[in-house]
Amino acid sequence: MEQVEVMKGKHRGELFGPLPGVRIGDVIAYEVELPERFVPWPGRTRLERVFVLLDLGVSFSNPPWRHSEHPEDAHIWYVDLISINRAGDRYEFRDLYVDVIVPTDGRSYRQLDLDELADASAEGLLTSDEVVDALRRWQRFLDRHLHTEVSPPRTWSDFPPAAIRPLQDLAAPLGPPVRWTD
């Protein structure tokens, strides 16, 4: 396990950080403290742990904030397609528009924002090579972790990915908490 710093941001926006993180193999976990306006689920805090699969360029978390009145929604994961740049022990993660919401209670996942990826490409914010790479990585994520079979199974293939378990079990915080400002 190695300590890393994480910077995160929108595709062409300013980066936020550094945020404390750790890396084990091809997986990074980092944390960010959410502002006061986020109300956590009972028994949770505003400290959000985010996981990154470096080989696929996806980040995901089970957000600690209450976003509905349905208790089952406390177990929904948000997955983002990202770009990754590394400089030593510092990683820069930038959002690449495409998202999926993954419930772990048997409900179907919901794909979001493919139109935003298309718009970014049409506006010249992404090159065709970047779009091709992003879509291929996204499909690999879907195939490996959500649906390896032709027919939708009753449970996900490997979600949340088994590779994050050692990082899930680490005590929080991973370092001095950094509060997100929006």
Side-chain angles (χ1 to χ4, degrees):
M1 180 169 62
E2 67 178 289
Q3 297 291 125
V4 298
E5 282 187 350
V6 170
M7 304 293 289
K8 66 178 270 174
K10 296 189 184 292
H11 178 65
R12 298 273 186 197
E14 287 187 35
L15 289 168
F16 174 73
L19 302 168
V22 294
R23 177 181 175 179
I24 297 177
D26 273 347
V27 182
I28 287 180
Y30 69 90
E31 292 173 333
V32 61
E33 184 180 358
L34 302 172
E36 298 283 333
R37 65 183 171 85
F38 288 85
V39 177
W41 288 101
R44 297 184 65 189
T45 69
R46 288 187 322 279
L47 191 63
E48 181 174 16
R49 185 168 291 180
V50 181
F51 303 93
V52 178
L53 300 178
L54 295 171
D55 63 331
L56 296 175
V58 295
S59 69
F60 51 97
S61 69
N62 172 228
W65 73 87
R66 185 179 210 109
H67 48 274
S68 81
E69 294 303 315
H70 305 287
E72 65 272 14
D73 287 348
H75 305 289
I76 286 178
W77 289 74
Y78 288 80
V79 183
D80 295 298
L81 180 63
I82 60 171
S83 65
I84 299 171
N85 289 310
R86 179 182 182 185
D89 65 350
R90 178 175 273 194
Y91 289 82
E92 292 180 1
F93 302 137
R94 291 183 178 274
D95 187 276
L96 282 177
Y97 309 101
V98 179
D99 308 301
V100 65
I101 298 171
V102 184
T104 56
D105 61 4
R107 291 179 285 166
S108 178
Y109 66 81
R110 179 160 186 235
Q111 180 91 35
L112 302 167
D113 302 332
L114 286 169
D115 59 335
E116 290 183 15
L117 180 68
D119 292 344
S121 178
E123 293 169 16
L125 299 175
L126 294 167
T127 67
S128 60
D129 287 346
E130 288 173 316
V131 173
V132 167
D133 174 65
L135 290 173
R136 285 184 175 149
R137 288 186 293 108
W138 191 246
Q139 189 63 52
R140 281 195 302 273
F141 165 75
L142 294 173
D143 289 345
R144 280 186 204 169
H145 297 287
L146 296 183
H147 48 71
T148 57
E149 300 176 25
V150 175
S151 299
R154 292 190 183 274
T155 60
W156 307 125
S157 305
D158 178 29
F159 197 87
I164 73 167
R165 287 194 187 112
L167 294 166
Q168 274 183 303
D169 295 337
L170 294 175
L174 296 175
V178 177
R179 183 168 291 167
W180 175 52
T181 56
D182 51 348

